[in-house]
Amino acid sequence: MSVSDNRTVLRLAFWGIPLALGVMGLKMLAWWVTGSVALLSDGLESTVNVIAAVIAYAMIGYAAKPADAGHPFGHHKAEYISAVIEGVLIVVAALLIVWEAVPAMMAPVLLDAPALGLAINFVAGVINAVWAYVLIRAGRQYRSPALSADGHHILSDVVTSIGVLIGLVLAIATGYAILDPLLAVIVACNILFQGWIVISRSIDGLMDRAVPDDEEEAIKQAIAANAKGSLGVHDLKTRQAGAVIFVDFHMVVPEKMAVGEAHDICDRIEDAIRTVHPGAKIAIHVEPEGETAHGVRVKVSGVRK
């Protein structure tokens, strides 16, 4: 990721904080004017968005720090820490919602000023929907786990808000007050599920998961198209740490090939891979012909026989 890209991601993370505060304020106002437990549950989830936005901003800034003696491969994985914390906070929010909803199911009451409360919550939902789209798109474009996690969580918040609005309209229309706390419990179950998704994806990133199959295939094609002069490559490994992709493989060359010639092939391959994945960190181990090769070879076009 370039310096300008890092600044863009950090700027988006920063603006997520006041937006999350504003949406939380609107949702808590909607709860205050109606007394709805379902709207309270929606507001409690938004408090998680505020905390998550602050943590994401801090972790994205830390992840952008250059490599140093203590962290020679960089600080990219810090974004995954942000996503894991957000997932845990989501689970905590779900438990708080259940804590509020269960007693309300024992003594349900009809809502106060329902139209005003629903209108306020609807405005908050629209703001969240637009911001979720921006974050998910940016997270995909800049390979930012923190932005992606935040965007998907906010999107789940939008789905929750839609469900709450529909359910409360039904509660008002039918007069069944118990639908309000019942909706809150359903919201809590959905939030728990979303929290599990966020945590599992983030832990997967911390465990050095390989890049997706289509991206690995693109790397293989870049190698195959630019490895002329070598005898083949093998032991290709990839992993993704935040916005950065790491590529590692062995390249076999004729035993008597000059070091400079082998180096030129490596430079050509590295340039091709970085065309597919800008900023990729690449390690190529050059082996002379005849050395025992381990792993599965990747077929290379234009190799010298």
Side-chain angles (χ1 to χ4, degrees):
M1 192 187 296
S2 66
V3 174
S4 62
D5 287 347
N6 276 327
R7 288 173 179 167
T8 300
V9 170
L10 196 59
R11 186 161 54 247
L12 285 169
F14 171 78
W15 283 110
I17 298 172
L19 273 170
L21 281 168
V23 169
M24 182 191 72
L26 286 172
K27 289 190 174 185
M28 297 308 284
L29 177 62
W31 161 69
W32 184 73
V33 300
T34 62
S36 165
V37 181
L39 289 179
L40 173 61
S41 69
D42 210 6
L44 286 174
E45 186 179 7
S46 291
T47 62
V48 174
N49 291 349
V50 175
I51 300 171
V54 173
I55 294 173
Y57 177 69
M59 289 296 100
I60 287 173
Y62 184 77
K65 291 175 61 178
D68 53 36
H71 304 86
F73 292 99
H75 303 79
H76 316 291
K77 286 189 177 182
E79 288 199 43
Y80 290 117
I81 297 173
S82 167
V84 170
I85 294 173
E86 180 167 353
V88 172
L89 290 173
I90 292 171
V91 172
V92 171
L95 295 176
L96 288 174
I97 291 168
V98 172
W99 180 268
E100 292 288 336
V102 171
M105 291 180 72
M106 303 298 105
V109 295
L110 293 175
L111 308 184
D112 297 322
L116 177 60
L118 294 182
I120 294 171
N121 208 61
F122 176 77
V123 171
V126 171
I127 295 171
N128 262 349
V130 174
W131 189 236
Y133 171 78
V134 171
L135 289 182
I136 291 173
R137 183 178 178 184
R140 188 181 303 116
Q141 179 180 352
Y142 300 112
R143 295 181 176 276
S144 171
L147 286 187
S148 293
D150 212 14
H152 281 98
H153 175 214
I154 293 173
L155 184 61
S156 73
D157 195 9
V158 174
V159 174
T160 297
S161 296
I162 293 172
V164 167
L165 288 172
I166 293 173
L168 289 180
V169 167
L170 288 175
I172 295 165
T174 61
Y176 288 112
I178 197 171
L179 286 176
D180 177 30
L182 187 60
L183 271 171
V185 174
I186 295 173
V187 167
C189 292
N190 175 60
I191 294 172
L192 279 172
F193 177 68
Q194 295 301 326
W196 166 251
I197 291 176
V198 170
I199 292 172
S200 60
R201 284 177 178 171
S202 303
I203 291 176
D204 215 16
L206 288 170
M207 296 298 290
D208 287 336
R209 181 176 178 82
V211 300
D213 291 343
D214 59 331
E215 296 187 17
E216 185 164 308
E217 183 59 32
I219 292 171
K220 290 179 179 179
Q221 293 299 324
I223 295 171
N226 293 275
K228 185 177 180 180
S230 74
L231 300 176
V233 302
H234 64 91
D235 248 6
L236 174 67
K237 297 183 181 72
T238 63
R239 68 183 177 92
Q240 185 166 340
V244 179
I245 284 178
F246 290 82
V247 181
D248 183 294
F249 61 90
H250 294 225
M251 183 177 74
V252 182
V253 299
E255 188 174 1
K256 294 183 179 180
M257 177 178 280
V259 173
E261 189 177 349
H263 188 269
D264 289 341
I265 298 172
C266 291
D267 283 346
R268 192 166 65 238
I269 292 174
E270 289 176 1
D271 290 342
I273 293 174
R274 290 194 178 104
T275 299
V276 177
H277 292 295
K281 305 296 183 182
I282 306 162
I284 306 175
H285 176 69
V286 178
E287 297 177 349
E289 182 181 10
E291 183 174 310
T292 302
H294 303 285
V296 179
R297 287 180 178 253
V298 180
K299 291 183 179 179
V300 181
S301 62
V303 297
R304 188 165 66 189
K305 301 296 183 183

